[in-house]
Amino acid sequence: MTRTAMTRTAAAHGPRPVRSAFSDILRLGLLGIRTRGPRAALSALGISIGIATLVVVTAVPASSQRALMDQLSALGTNMLRVAPQANSDPPVVLPADADAMAARIGPVTGASAVANTHTTVLRSDRADPADASGISVLAARTNLLGAVHGTVRSGAFLTSTTARFPTVVLGFRTASRLGFDRVGTGSAERPGQEPGQVYIGGRWFTVVGILDPLPLAPDLDSSVLVGWKAAQERLGFDGHPTVVYVTAREAQIEAVRAVLPATVHPQLPGLVQVSRPSDALAAKRATEQTLSVLLLGLAGVAVLVGGVGVANTMVVSVLERRREIGLRRALGASRGQIRGQFLAESVVLSALGGGAGTVLGAAGAAGYAVSQSWPVVIPSLALVAGGAGAVVVGMVAGVYPAVRASRLSPTEALAAV
């Protein structure tokens, strides 16, 4: 084809529209926002309020849910108690390392043990043995307190050091019966007896700790806990535990319960009893599932409301700027360039409002959680929806206004002014 023919063909089809780079479209969008500063600020404020609402309505229930789950977990949802069957003939004796074997189960997070030393505790060597009825002297592992979710009221629990010496920790009811309200107290009933001591198996033991009530192991409230090594050396303890306390991941608690008998006593697993999971575990799972569905519903509604707000803002913007659209079309702007400009404005407004709303919502939710003494929980879903989600919503919500703006012909746009 000759040059003359090519020129005639180009003239017949008219000039080709110039393609705009992405950076050019973005600059146009930012220019539109800067030239309409007050209205753009109000639009971004409306978006930020919607995103802040999204974060708040998901984060506040999430914090409340975590507080409730912590309260239910405190009821022993992850704890199991292992003991030999009672009244068996001959009596079943657990292996000396039963708690260590239980700790090797994958989902187990902790295992500890106590053992009955079959000795008696007295306030002094001259006290009536009948005064100690109902109080058990138990050898205890140093990690027992964590396994039974216990706390110390006074003093300290047994450590790897104190467990080797004649020291004891008193259960809540035992301390009351023996006249101890804190470590270092207790009446001396004979000359030469040191305050804060008890008499066990013909030896003096010093009280180093007093426990708070143990709702998950109430039998320990009426006990005296002696270090494992001290019980073996001073009380003739044979080293075989009588009760093993196991904590495990809640999702695997039933599976752990099924394998515990064969794990702690491989020779006689049928003669080992394992407590069933707490009823609070079923309540916790049902509550968690219900609240999770509620959180998803609230997040969905908040995202929908935010999207409608962005779309409404951009539609109004198109109606107000028809003159500008007409002039740009008359000067040769293509429909794609008009669509890109309005879509860029929508995304930028959504990003600005989403970022500000995410920060405001997170701060508000955290402040409310702290005021209610709840743990601060900001779901990742809320943060994603508040940040990247706002941009996506802005894109979706800006499609219709952008398409509508691009379809306005120059004469229609200018005539409507």
Side-chain angles (χ1 to χ4, degrees), residues 7-43:
T7 303
R8 291 175 180 174
T9 302
H13 289 84
R16 294 183 180 179
V18 178
R19 292 181 177 272
S20 297
F22 174 77
S23 58
D24 295 330
I25 294 176
L26 181 59
R27 279 197 296 269
L28 282 173
L30 293 175
L31 178 62
I33 293 176
R34 287 198 301 268
T35 56
R36 297 165 46 251
R39 177 166 289 277
L42 290 175
S43 299

PDB file of all heavy atoms in Angstrom, residues 7-43:
ATOM      1  N   THR A   7      -2.536   7.255   4.047  1.00  0.00           N
ATOM      2  CA  THR A   7      -3.024   8.534   4.582  1.00  0.00           C
ATOM      3  C   THR A   7      -4.522   8.645   4.425  1.00  0.00           C
ATOM      4  O   THR A   7      -5.232   9.107   5.336  1.00  0.00           O
ATOM      5  CB  THR A   7      -2.330   9.697   3.871  1.00  0.00           C
ATOM      6  OG1 THR A   7      -0.930   9.566   4.033  1.00  0.00           O
ATOM      7  CG2 THR A   7      -2.778  11.026   4.426  1.00  0.00           C
ATOM      8  N   ARG A   8      -5.028   8.223   3.266  1.00  0.00           N
ATOM      9  CA  ARG A   8      -6.470   8.269   3.043  1.00  0.00           C
ATOM     10  C   ARG A   8      -7.207   7.332   4.010  1.00  0.00           C
ATOM     11  O   ARG A   8      -8.288   7.653   4.527  1.00  0.00           O
ATOM     12  CB  ARG A   8      -6.784   7.889   1.607  1.00  0.00           C
ATOM     13  CG  ARG A   8      -6.334   8.924   0.583  1.00  0.00           C
ATOM     14  CD  ARG A   8      -6.561   8.423  -0.812  1.00  0.00           C
ATOM     15  NE  ARG A   8      -6.130   9.430  -1.795  1.00  0.00           N
ATOM     16  CZ  ARG A   8      -6.117   9.208  -3.124  1.00  0.00           C
ATOM     17  NH1 ARG A   8      -6.507   8.018  -3.598  1.00  0.00           N
ATOM     18  NH2 ARG A   8      -5.716  10.164  -3.940  1.00  0.00           N
ATOM     19  N   THR A   9      -6.635   6.162   4.274  1.00  0.00           N
ATOM     20  CA  THR A   9      -7.283   5.205   5.192  1.00  0.00           C
ATOM     21  C   THR A   9      -7.346   5.768   6.606  1.00  0.00           C
ATOM     22  O   THR A   9      -8.357   5.693   7.299  1.00  0.00           O
ATOM     23  CB  THR A   9      -6.518   3.871   5.208  1.00  0.00           C
ATOM     24  OG1 THR A   9      -6.477   3.360   3.881  1.00  0.00           O
ATOM     25  CG2 THR A   9      -7.188   2.872   6.125  1.00  0.00           C
ATOM     26  N   ALA A  10      -6.241   6.384   7.057  1.00  0.00           N
ATOM     27  CA  ALA A  10      -6.218   6.986   8.402  1.00  0.00           C
ATOM     28  C   ALA A  10      -7.200   8.122   8.511  1.00  0.00           C
ATOM     29  O   ALA A  10      -7.867   8.300   9.538  1.00  0.00           O
ATOM     30  CB  ALA A  10      -4.799   7.479   8.731  1.00  0.00           C
ATOM     31  N   ALA A  11      -7.321   8.893   7.446  1.00  0.00           N
ATOM     32  CA  ALA A  11      -8.272  10.009   7.472  1.00  0.00           C
ATOM     33  C   ALA A  11      -9.697   9.515   7.521  1.00  0.00           C
ATOM     34  O   ALA A  11     -10.557  10.125   8.166  1.00  0.00           O
ATOM     35  CB  ALA A  11      -8.042  10.895   6.245  1.00  0.00           C
ATOM     36  N   ALA A  12      -9.940   8.389   6.840  1.00  0.00           N
ATOM     37  CA  ALA A  12     -11.312   7.853   6.838  1.00  0.00           C
ATOM     38  C   ALA A  12     -11.724   7.349   8.211  1.00  0.00           C
ATOM     39  O   ALA A  12     -12.874   7.485   8.631  1.00  0.00           O
ATOM     40  CB  ALA A  12     -11.416   6.735   5.798  1.00  0.00           C
ATOM     41  N   HIS A  13     -10.794   6.713   8.942  1.00  0.00           N
ATOM     42  CA  HIS A  13     -11.119   6.178  10.268  1.00  0.00           C
ATOM     43  C   HIS A  13     -10.980   7.190  11.385  1.00  0.00           C
ATOM     44  O   HIS A  13     -11.390   6.942  12.514  1.00  0.00           O
ATOM     45  CB  HIS A  13     -10.207   4.969  10.579  1.00  0.00           C
ATOM     46  CG  HIS A  13     -10.537   3.762   9.756  1.00  0.00           C
ATOM     47  ND1 HIS A  13     -10.040   3.568   8.477  1.00  0.00           N
ATOM     48  CD2 HIS A  13     -11.328   2.699  10.024  1.00  0.00           C
ATOM     49  CE1 HIS A  13     -10.489   2.425   7.980  1.00  0.00           C
ATOM     50  NE2 HIS A  13     -11.274   1.876   8.901  1.00  0.00           N
ATOM     51  N   GLY A  14     -10.420   8.341  11.152  1.00  0.00           N
ATOM     52  CA  GLY A  14     -10.257   9.363  12.177  1.00  0.00           C
ATOM     53  C   GLY A  14      -9.046   9.096  13.045  1.00  0.00           C
ATOM     54  O   GLY A  14      -8.406   8.053  12.974  1.00  0.00           O
ATOM     55  N   PRO A  15      -8.696  10.003  13.917  1.00  0.00           N
ATOM     56  CA  PRO A  15      -7.512   9.844  14.769  1.00  0.00           C
ATOM     57  C   PRO A  15      -7.750   8.779  15.833  1.00  0.00           C
ATOM     58  O   PRO A  15      -8.848   8.646  16.374  1.00  0.00           O
ATOM     59  CB  PRO A  15      -7.341  11.232  15.403  1.00  0.00           C
ATOM     60  CG  PRO A  15      -8.706  11.829  15.357  1.00  0.00           C
ATOM     61  CD  PRO A  15      -9.355  11.320  14.116  1.00  0.00           C
ATOM     62  N   ARG A  16      -6.724   8.005  16.088  1.00  0.00           N
ATOM     63  CA  ARG A  16      -6.838   6.988  17.132  1.00  0.00           C
ATOM     64  C   ARG A  16      -6.710   7.619  18.518  1.00  0.00           C
ATOM     65  O   ARG A  16      -5.878   8.510  18.710  1.00  0.00           O
ATOM     66  CB  ARG A  16      -5.738   5.952  16.958  1.00  0.00           C
ATOM     67  CG  ARG A  16      -5.878   5.127  15.678  1.00  0.00           C
ATOM     68  CD  ARG A  16      -4.785   4.085  15.622  1.00  0.00           C
ATOM     69  NE  ARG A  16      -4.897   3.276  14.422  1.00  0.00           N
ATOM     70  CZ  ARG A  16      -4.051   2.293  14.100  1.00  0.00           C
ATOM     71  NH1 ARG A  16      -3.024   2.039  14.916  1.00  0.00           N
ATOM     72  NH2 ARG A  16      -4.238   1.597  12.993  1.00  0.00           N
ATOM     73  N   PRO A  17      -7.506   7.133  19.498  1.00  0.00           N
ATOM     74  CA  PRO A  17      -7.395   7.693  20.846  1.00  0.00           C
ATOM     75  C   PRO A  17      -6.052   7.329  21.475  1.00  0.00           C
ATOM     76  O   PRO A  17      -5.515   6.259  21.255  1.00  0.00           O
ATOM     77  CB  PRO A  17      -8.561   7.033  21.604  1.00  0.00           C
ATOM     78  CG  PRO A  17      -8.850   5.780  20.851  1.00  0.00           C
ATOM     79  CD  PRO A  17      -8.570   6.084  19.416  1.00  0.00           C
ATOM     80  N   VAL A  18      -5.551   8.242  22.237  1.00  0.00           N
ATOM     81  CA  VAL A  18      -4.270   8.018  22.905  1.00  0.00           C
ATOM     82  C   VAL A  18      -4.493   7.144  24.137  1.00  0.00           C
ATOM     83  O   VAL A  18      -5.384   7.410  24.950  1.00  0.00           O
ATOM     84  CB  VAL A  18      -3.629   9.368  23.309  1.00  0.00           C
ATOM     85  CG1 VAL A  18      -2.309   9.132  24.041  1.00  0.00           C
ATOM     86  CG2 VAL A  18      -3.430  10.228  22.077  1.00  0.00           C
ATOM     87  N   ARG A  19      -3.692   6.105  24.282  1.00  0.00           N
ATOM     88  CA  ARG A  19      -3.797   5.233  25.455  1.00  0.00           C
ATOM     89  C   ARG A  19      -3.161   5.901  26.673  1.00  0.00           C
ATOM     90  O   ARG A  19      -2.054   6.436  26.572  1.00  0.00           O
ATOM     91  CB  ARG A  19      -3.115   3.895  25.197  1.00  0.00           C
ATOM     92  CG  ARG A  19      -3.817   3.035  24.157  1.00  0.00           C
ATOM     93  CD  ARG A  19      -3.082   1.724  23.973  1.00  0.00           C
ATOM     94  NE  ARG A  19      -3.774   0.869  23.030  1.00  0.00           N
ATOM     95  CZ  ARG A  19      -4.744   0.006  23.367  1.00  0.00           C
ATOM     96  NH1 ARG A  19      -5.105  -0.077  24.624  1.00  0.00           N
ATOM     97  NH2 ARG A  19      -5.321  -0.732  22.445  1.00  0.00           N
ATOM     98  N   SER A  20      -3.851   5.863  27.770  1.00  0.00           N
ATOM     99  CA  SER A  20      -3.329   6.463  29.003  1.00  0.00           C
ATOM    100  C   SER A  20      -2.665   5.392  29.847  1.00  0.00           C
ATOM    101  O   SER A  20      -3.208   4.291  30.012  1.00  0.00           O
ATOM    102  CB  SER A  20      -4.456   7.125  29.810  1.00  0.00           C
ATOM    103  OG  SER A  20      -5.033   8.188  29.081  1.00  0.00           O
ATOM    104  N   ALA A  21      -1.492   5.716  30.350  1.00  0.00           N
ATOM    105  CA  ALA A  21      -0.811   4.788  31.250  1.00  0.00           C
ATOM    106  C   ALA A  21      -1.539   4.741  32.596  1.00  0.00           C
ATOM    107  O   ALA A  21      -2.302   5.635  32.951  1.00  0.00           O
ATOM    108  CB  ALA A  21       0.637   5.227  31.439  1.00  0.00           C
ATOM    109  N   PHE A  22      -1.260   3.678  33.349  1.00  0.00           N
ATOM    110  CA  PHE A  22      -1.892   3.538  34.662  1.00  0.00           C
ATOM    111  C   PHE A  22      -1.539   4.714  35.564  1.00  0.00           C
ATOM    112  O   PHE A  22      -2.395   5.217  36.311  1.00  0.00           O
ATOM    113  CB  PHE A  22      -1.444   2.229  35.307  1.00  0.00           C
ATOM    114  CG  PHE A  22      -1.918   2.063  36.719  1.00  0.00           C
ATOM    115  CD1 PHE A  22      -3.230   1.698  37.002  1.00  0.00           C
ATOM    116  CD2 PHE A  22      -1.055   2.305  37.786  1.00  0.00           C
ATOM    117  CE1 PHE A  22      -3.665   1.560  38.308  1.00  0.00           C
ATOM    118  CE2 PHE A  22      -1.486   2.168  39.094  1.00  0.00           C
ATOM    119  CZ  PHE A  22      -2.797   1.795  39.348  1.00  0.00           C
ATOM    120  N   SER A  23      -0.290   5.172  35.490  1.00  0.00           N
ATOM    121  CA  SER A  23       0.114   6.309  36.325  1.00  0.00           C
ATOM    122  C   SER A  23      -0.658   7.574  35.954  1.00  0.00           C
ATOM    123  O   SER A  23      -0.991   8.386  36.828  1.00  0.00           O
ATOM    124  CB  SER A  23       1.621   6.544  36.177  1.00  0.00           C
ATOM    125  OG  SER A  23       1.950   6.784  34.814  1.00  0.00           O
ATOM    126  N   ASP A  24      -0.973   7.730  34.662  1.00  0.00           N
ATOM    127  CA  ASP A  24      -1.743   8.903  34.248  1.00  0.00           C
ATOM    128  C   ASP A  24      -3.160   8.848  34.799  1.00  0.00           C
ATOM    129  O   ASP A  24      -3.702   9.856  35.270  1.00  0.00           O
ATOM    130  CB  ASP A  24      -1.787   8.983  32.717  1.00  0.00           C
ATOM    131  CG  ASP A  24      -0.401   9.212  32.118  1.00  0.00           C
ATOM    132  OD1 ASP A  24       0.422   9.848  32.800  1.00  0.00           O
ATOM    133  OD2 ASP A  24      -0.166   8.744  30.992  1.00  0.00           O
ATOM    134  N   ILE A  25      -3.758   7.666  34.735  1.00  0.00           N
ATOM    135  CA  ILE A  25      -5.119   7.509  35.263  1.00  0.00           C
ATOM    136  C   ILE A  25      -5.129   7.758  36.772  1.00  0.00           C
ATOM    137  O   ILE A  25      -6.030   8.398  37.318  1.00  0.00           O
ATOM    138  CB  ILE A  25      -5.652   6.100  34.940  1.00  0.00           C
ATOM    139  CG1 ILE A  25      -5.812   5.936  33.427  1.00  0.00           C
ATOM    140  CG2 ILE A  25      -6.983   5.842  35.647  1.00  0.00           C
ATOM    141  CD1 ILE A  25      -6.240   4.549  33.001  1.00  0.00           C
ATOM    142  N   LEU A  26      -4.105   7.246  37.457  1.00  0.00           N
ATOM    143  CA  LEU A  26      -4.036   7.451  38.905  1.00  0.00           C
ATOM    144  C   LEU A  26      -3.880   8.928  39.234  1.00  0.00           C
ATOM    145  O   LEU A  26      -4.511   9.435  40.173  1.00  0.00           O
ATOM    146  CB  LEU A  26      -2.868   6.658  39.488  1.00  0.00           C
ATOM    147  CG  LEU A  26      -2.669   6.739  41.001  1.00  0.00           C
ATOM    148  CD1 LEU A  26      -3.902   6.241  41.730  1.00  0.00           C
ATOM    149  CD2 LEU A  26      -1.442   5.931  41.436  1.00  0.00           C
ATOM    150  N   ARG A  27      -3.049   9.647  38.460  1.00  0.00           N
ATOM    151  CA  ARG A  27      -2.887  11.086  38.694  1.00  0.00           C
ATOM    152  C   ARG A  27      -4.196  11.832  38.464  1.00  0.00           C
ATOM    153  O   ARG A  27      -4.516  12.781  39.183  1.00  0.00           O
ATOM    154  CB  ARG A  27      -1.780  11.642  37.799  1.00  0.00           C
ATOM    155  CG  ARG A  27      -0.376  11.399  38.326  1.00  0.00           C
ATOM    156  CD  ARG A  27       0.638  12.301  37.633  1.00  0.00           C
ATOM    157  NE  ARG A  27       0.722  12.002  36.198  1.00  0.00           N
ATOM    158  CZ  ARG A  27       1.588  11.111  35.693  1.00  0.00           C
ATOM    159  NH1 ARG A  27       2.407  10.457  36.492  1.00  0.00           N
ATOM    160  NH2 ARG A  27       1.620  10.909  34.380  1.00  0.00           N
ATOM    161  N   LEU A  28      -4.951  11.414  37.454  1.00  0.00           N
ATOM    162  CA  LEU A  28      -6.252  12.046  37.215  1.00  0.00           C
ATOM    163  C   LEU A  28      -7.186  11.827  38.396  1.00  0.00           C
ATOM    164  O   LEU A  28      -7.921  12.728  38.810  1.00  0.00           O
ATOM    165  CB  LEU A  28      -6.879  11.495  35.926  1.00  0.00           C
ATOM    166  CG  LEU A  28      -6.351  12.048  34.605  1.00  0.00           C
ATOM    167  CD1 LEU A  28      -6.942  11.292  33.437  1.00  0.00           C
ATOM    168  CD2 LEU A  28      -6.670  13.545  34.502  1.00  0.00           C
ATOM    169  N   GLY A  29      -7.175  10.588  38.914  1.00  0.00           N
ATOM    170  CA  GLY A  29      -8.019  10.309  40.071  1.00  0.00           C
ATOM    171  C   GLY A  29      -7.634  11.138  41.274  1.00  0.00           C
ATOM    172  O   GLY A  29      -8.485  11.698  41.976  1.00  0.00           O
ATOM    173  N   LEU A  30      -6.322  11.256  41.531  1.00  0.00           N
ATOM    174  CA  LEU A  30      -5.862  12.070  42.663  1.00  0.00           C
ATOM    175  C   LEU A  30      -6.167  13.543  42.431  1.00  0.00           C
ATOM    176  O   LEU A  30      -6.499  14.272  43.376  1.00  0.00           O
ATOM    177  CB  LEU A  30      -4.357  11.867  42.857  1.00  0.00           C
ATOM    178  CG  LEU A  30      -3.917  10.468  43.314  1.00  0.00           C
ATOM    179  CD1 LEU A  30      -2.401  10.378  43.353  1.00  0.00           C
ATOM    180  CD2 LEU A  30      -4.504  10.148  44.692  1.00  0.00           C
ATOM    181  N   LEU A  31      -6.052  13.987  41.165  1.00  0.00           N
ATOM    182  CA  LEU A  31      -6.372  15.378  40.866  1.00  0.00           C
ATOM    183  C   LEU A  31      -7.837  15.671  41.139  1.00  0.00           C
ATOM    184  O   LEU A  31      -8.188  16.720  41.709  1.00  0.00           O
ATOM    185  CB  LEU A  31      -6.034  15.684  39.404  1.00  0.00           C
ATOM    186  CG  LEU A  31      -6.351  17.106  38.923  1.00  0.00           C
ATOM    187  CD1 LEU A  31      -5.528  18.120  39.715  1.00  0.00           C
ATOM    188  CD2 LEU A  31      -6.097  17.241  37.421  1.00  0.00           C
ATOM    189  N   GLY A  32      -8.705  14.720  40.757  1.00  0.00           N
ATOM    190  CA  GLY A  32     -10.131  14.904  41.031  1.00  0.00           C
ATOM    191  C   GLY A  32     -10.424  14.992  42.510  1.00  0.00           C
ATOM    192  O   GLY A  32     -11.286  15.762  42.948  1.00  0.00           O
ATOM    193  N   ILE A  33      -9.686  14.240  43.316  1.00  0.00           N
ATOM    194  CA  ILE A  33      -9.890  14.278  44.772  1.00  0.00           C
ATOM    195  C   ILE A  33      -9.370  15.585  45.346  1.00  0.00           C
ATOM    196  O   ILE A  33     -10.007  16.210  46.202  1.00  0.00           O
ATOM    197  CB  ILE A  33      -9.192  13.065  45.427  1.00  0.00           C
ATOM    198  CG1 ILE A  33      -9.890  11.767  45.016  1.00  0.00           C
ATOM    199  CG2 ILE A  33      -9.189  13.208  46.951  1.00  0.00           C
ATOM    200  CD1 ILE A  33      -9.209  10.524  45.530  1.00  0.00           C
ATOM    201  N   ARG A  34      -8.193  16.060  44.864  1.00  0.00           N
ATOM    202  CA  ARG A  34      -7.620  17.295  45.400  1.00  0.00           C
ATOM    203  C   ARG A  34      -8.476  18.513  45.056  1.00  0.00           C
ATOM    204  O   ARG A  34      -8.632  19.415  45.867  1.00  0.00           O
ATOM    205  CB  ARG A  34      -6.198  17.478  44.863  1.00  0.00           C
ATOM    206  CG  ARG A  34      -5.173  16.548  45.467  1.00  0.00           C
ATOM    207  CD  ARG A  34      -3.768  17.072  45.225  1.00  0.00           C
ATOM    208  NE  ARG A  34      -3.492  17.208  43.804  1.00  0.00           N
ATOM    209  CZ  ARG A  34      -2.933  16.272  43.053  1.00  0.00           C
ATOM    210  NH1 ARG A  34      -2.624  15.104  43.602  1.00  0.00           N
ATOM    211  NH2 ARG A  34      -2.704  16.476  41.767  1.00  0.00           N
ATOM    212  N   THR A  35      -9.007  18.526  43.838  1.00  0.00           N
ATOM    213  CA  THR A  35      -9.820  19.673  43.442  1.00  0.00           C
ATOM    214  C   THR A  35     -11.169  19.693  44.139  1.00  0.00           C
ATOM    215  O   THR A  35     -11.837  20.735  44.148  1.00  0.00           O
ATOM    216  CB  THR A  35     -10.025  19.671  41.920  1.00  0.00           C
ATOM    217  OG1 THR A  35     -10.608  18.423  41.520  1.00  0.00           O
ATOM    218  CG2 THR A  35      -8.706  19.874  41.197  1.00  0.00           C
ATOM    219  N   ARG A  36     -11.568  18.587  44.684  1.00  0.00           N
ATOM    220  CA  ARG A  36     -12.834  18.514  45.435  1.00  0.00           C
ATOM    221  C   ARG A  36     -12.507  18.130  46.875  1.00  0.00           C
ATOM    222  O   ARG A  36     -13.077  17.182  47.425  1.00  0.00           O
ATOM    223  CB  ARG A  36     -13.758  17.477  44.802  1.00  0.00           C
ATOM    224  CG  ARG A  36     -14.179  17.815  43.378  1.00  0.00           C
ATOM    225  CD  ARG A  36     -14.788  16.639  42.625  1.00  0.00           C
ATOM    226  NE  ARG A  36     -15.774  15.944  43.440  1.00  0.00           N
ATOM    227  CZ  ARG A  36     -15.590  14.736  43.954  1.00  0.00           C
ATOM    228  NH1 ARG A  36     -14.435  14.110  43.794  1.00  0.00           N
ATOM    229  NH2 ARG A  36     -16.540  14.148  44.650  1.00  0.00           N
ATOM    230  N   GLY A  37     -11.574  18.854  47.471  1.00  0.00           N
ATOM    231  CA  GLY A  37     -11.062  18.500  48.789  1.00  0.00           C
ATOM    232  C   GLY A  37     -12.113  18.292  49.864  1.00  0.00           C
ATOM    233  O   GLY A  37     -12.191  17.214  50.465  1.00  0.00           O
ATOM    234  N   PRO A  38     -12.973  19.300  50.147  1.00  0.00           N
ATOM    235  CA  PRO A  38     -13.953  19.121  51.217  1.00  0.00           C
ATOM    236  C   PRO A  38     -14.897  17.941  50.973  1.00  0.00           C
ATOM    237  O   PRO A  38     -15.150  17.141  51.879  1.00  0.00           O
ATOM    238  CB  PRO A  38     -14.716  20.452  51.221  1.00  0.00           C
ATOM    239  CG  PRO A  38     -13.753  21.436  50.640  1.00  0.00           C
ATOM    240  CD  PRO A  38     -13.004  20.685  49.612  1.00  0.00           C
ATOM    241  N   ARG A  39     -15.416  17.817  49.738  1.00  0.00           N
ATOM    242  CA  ARG A  39     -16.336  16.711  49.470  1.00  0.00           C
ATOM    243  C   ARG A  39     -15.612  15.371  49.526  1.00  0.00           C
ATOM    244  O   ARG A  39     -16.150  14.382  50.030  1.00  0.00           O
ATOM    245  CB  ARG A  39     -17.005  16.896  48.115  1.00  0.00           C
ATOM    246  CG  ARG A  39     -17.924  15.741  47.727  1.00  0.00           C
ATOM    247  CD  ARG A  39     -18.814  16.074  46.581  1.00  0.00           C
ATOM    248  NE  ARG A  39     -19.837  17.028  46.999  1.00  0.00           N
ATOM    249  CZ  ARG A  39     -20.964  16.668  47.613  1.00  0.00           C
ATOM    250  NH1 ARG A  39     -21.191  15.405  47.897  1.00  0.00           N
ATOM    251  NH2 ARG A  39     -21.835  17.578  47.962  1.00  0.00           N
ATOM    252  N   ALA A  40     -14.380  15.329  49.017  1.00  0.00           N
ATOM    253  CA  ALA A  40     -13.608  14.090  49.089  1.00  0.00           C
ATOM    254  C   ALA A  40     -13.327  13.702  50.541  1.00  0.00           C
ATOM    255  O   ALA A  40     -13.384  12.527  50.913  1.00  0.00           O
ATOM    256  CB  ALA A  40     -12.300  14.240  48.316  1.00  0.00           C
ATOM    257  N   ALA A  41     -13.038  14.704  51.381  1.00  0.00           N
ATOM    258  CA  ALA A  41     -12.791  14.425  52.795  1.00  0.00           C
ATOM    259  C   ALA A  41     -14.031  13.859  53.461  1.00  0.00           C
ATOM    260  O   ALA A  41     -13.962  12.905  54.251  1.00  0.00           O
ATOM    261  CB  ALA A  41     -12.326  15.694  53.510  1.00  0.00           C
ATOM    262  N   LEU A  42     -15.193  14.446  53.141  1.00  0.00           N
ATOM    263  CA  LEU A  42     -16.439  13.932  53.714  1.00  0.00           C
ATOM    264  C   LEU A  42     -16.721  12.527  53.207  1.00  0.00           C
ATOM    265  O   LEU A  42     -17.216  11.670  53.967  1.00  0.00           O
ATOM    266  CB  LEU A  42     -17.599  14.874  53.372  1.00  0.00           C
ATOM    267  CG  LEU A  42     -17.587  16.235  54.077  1.00  0.00           C
ATOM    268  CD1 LEU A  42     -18.721  17.107  53.561  1.00  0.00           C
ATOM    269  CD2 LEU A  42     -17.698  16.057  55.597  1.00  0.00           C
ATOM    270  N   SER A  43     -16.437  12.275  51.927  1.00  0.00           N
ATOM    271  CA  SER A  43     -16.650  10.935  51.376  1.00  0.00           C
ATOM    272  C   SER A  43     -15.743   9.925  52.079  1.00  0.00           C
ATOM    273  O   SER A  43     -16.186   8.838  52.468  1.00  0.00           O
ATOM    274  CB  SER A  43     -16.378  10.936  49.871  1.00  0.00           C
ATOM    275  OG  SER A  43     -17.242  11.817  49.200  1.00  0.00           O
TER     276      SER A  43
END
